[in-house]
Amino acid sequence: MQRNASTLYPILLVHGLFGFDSIGKFDLFHGIRQALRNAGAQVFIPFLSATHSNEMRGQQLLEQIDRVLAGTGARKVNLIGHSQGALAARYAGAVAPDKVASVTSVSGPNHGSELADCLRKALKPGELPEYIAVAASTLFVEFLGYLSGRQQIPHNAIAALNALTTEGVALFNEQYPQGLPSTWGGQGAQIVNEVHYYSWSGTLQGPIWKEGLNALDPLHTFCRGFSQFFDREAGQNDGMVGRFSSHLGTVLRSDYPMDHMDSINQTAGLVRSGIDPVDLYLEHAERLIKQGL
Ligand code: CA
């Protein structure tokens, strides 16, 4: 289908994942920037460094929003944040609502990540049975190694977990509650301080052999492994974030058949057949246009 993504305000795709902006040789938002541009959107990808706090990343994002506004002459921007990027986008929307037309969370840990909780415990000796602690931390370090293409994982990547635990995000939410649902699993306000809030995310569904080509994606295998460490949202998560934890503003859908990395079309377009993660962004741009954004 021919999509029109020519939003009034530029779109910023805000990445999470501890500061990596690519996976191997692929853009983190694989094929998404180009698809949006081809459909008429102005798209920018701010770079946020790895740091321990969502506030610091949010502050970096604000500086880059100012640059985009100055460069384009636009009055506001539309922010679409994946994973931890959603928290930086929420920070910017809360602190500078006059510069932010919309905040959209894609697979965002808006109430924290149970995976981060588990890994945090795994880093403290004695907090978890040893075999679980070893399994969780080994899998996570291999995951980061795959993403970054490096053998050595920066320590701050693991320290950044503090910003993603249920406890860490709860503290963040006390300061920046805009768009959060008031009940677990519910929807949040669509508009706060004239900023529109949206979210979407997916869950792991069915056996791996039903995934088609996605079964060949190492990142999918990691997500399946991580999924075992969830408790509250066991069976209702994308491998890194629980379904209800991702809810923010208008919840477009939180059970797309996508793992945490499928929602940015990784690895390199290997996703389950029947779902097109790139089209979700194009469809959303059309939604923003209809709202005059
Ligand atoms: Ca995938």
Side-chain angles (χ1 to χ4, degrees):
M1 190 194 298
Q2 186 67 36
R3 295 281 194 191
N4 171 18
S6 58
T7 53
L8 177 59
Y9 303 116
I11 293 173
L12 272 65
L13 298 173
V14 188
H15 65 81
L17 290 166
F18 316 106
F20 301 129
D21 62 351
S22 60
I23 296 177
K25 59 183 187 295
F26 306 112
D27 277 355
L28 192 58
F29 288 87
H30 181 69
I32 294 164
R33 169 168 47 183
Q34 201 53 49
L36 284 167
R37 278 187 179 161
N38 291 347
Q42 275 189 298
V43 188
F44 299 88
I45 302 197
F47 181 77
L48 310 185
S49 68
T51 169
H52 300 190
S53 89
N54 296 310
E55 290 86 344
M56 285 286 289
R57 287 169 51 89
Q59 205 58 44
Q60 291 176 340
L61 176 59
L62 279 178
E63 287 164 17
Q64 297 185 55
I65 288 172
D66 283 339
R67 252 177 264 153
V68 169
L69 296 182
T72 60
R75 276 198 310 117
K76 295 183 179 188
V77 293
N78 290 303
L79 301 175
I80 304 181
H82 174 252
S83 194
Q84 196 184 3
L87 300 177
R90 283 177 47 201
Y91 175 90
V95 172
D98 53 320
K99 296 174 184 171
V100 179
S102 67
V103 169
T104 301
S105 160
V106 179
S107 312
N110 293 311
H111 299 84
S113 161
E114 286 189 63
L115 176 66
D117 295 344
C118 179
L119 292 167
R120 201 66 201 82
K121 284 184 196 152
L123 296 174
K124 290 183 190 160
E127 290 264 322
L128 286 179
E130 194 177 5
Y131 71 97
I132 295 180
V134 169
S137 32
T138 305
L139 201 55
F140 189 61
V141 168
E142 284 176 7
F143 170 76
L144 292 178
Y146 180 84
L147 286 184
S148 67
R150 294 178 211 132
Q151 295 297 316
Q152 291 290 320
I153 304 305
H155 282 293
N156 56 5
I158 290 174
L161 284 173
N162 286 333
L164 295 173
T165 58
T166 301
E167 202 181 350
V169 177
L171 288 172
F172 177 81
N173 287 350
E174 279 178 24
Q175 295 292 313
Y176 311 103
Q178 291 79 357
L180 289 174
S182 54
T183 55
W184 182 243
Q187 306 221 8
Q190 157 124 26
I191 303 173
V192 184
N193 297 331
E194 294 185 42
V195 179
H196 293 237
Y197 286 86
Y198 300 94
S199 59
W200 78 78
S201 61
T203 58
L204 291 163
Q205 294 167 23
I208 193 164
W209 56 266
K210 287 202 172 170
E211 290 285 334
L213 287 177
N214 204 24
L216 303 176
D217 182 353
L219 289 179
H220 184 69
T221 311
F222 284 122
C223 286
R224 291 246 166 196
F226 292 145
S227 181
Q228 297 164 27
F229 302 115
F230 282 69
D231 180 24
R232 187 180 191 185
E233 297 205 72
Q236 289 290 323
N237 63 75
D238 66 6
M240 297 189 82
V241 176
R243 176 183 179 182
F244 288 168
S245 177
S246 76
H247 283 198
L248 180 77
T250 297
V251 181
L252 301 167
R253 188 174 159 187
S254 57
D255 65 344
Y256 283 113
M258 302 190 301
D259 66 40
H260 193 72
M261 306 305 293
D262 291 335
S263 60
I264 47 171
N265 203 30
Q266 291 288 1
T267 305
L270 282 178
V271 297
R272 187 175 172 130
S273 55
I275 180 84
D276 181 355
V278 179
D279 194 54
L280 297 181
Y281 291 80
L282 295 169
E283 191 185 351
H284 191 51
E286 291 191 336
R287 188 175 292 118
L288 296 174
I289 291 169
K290 280 193 192 125
Q291 293 291 326
L293 308 174

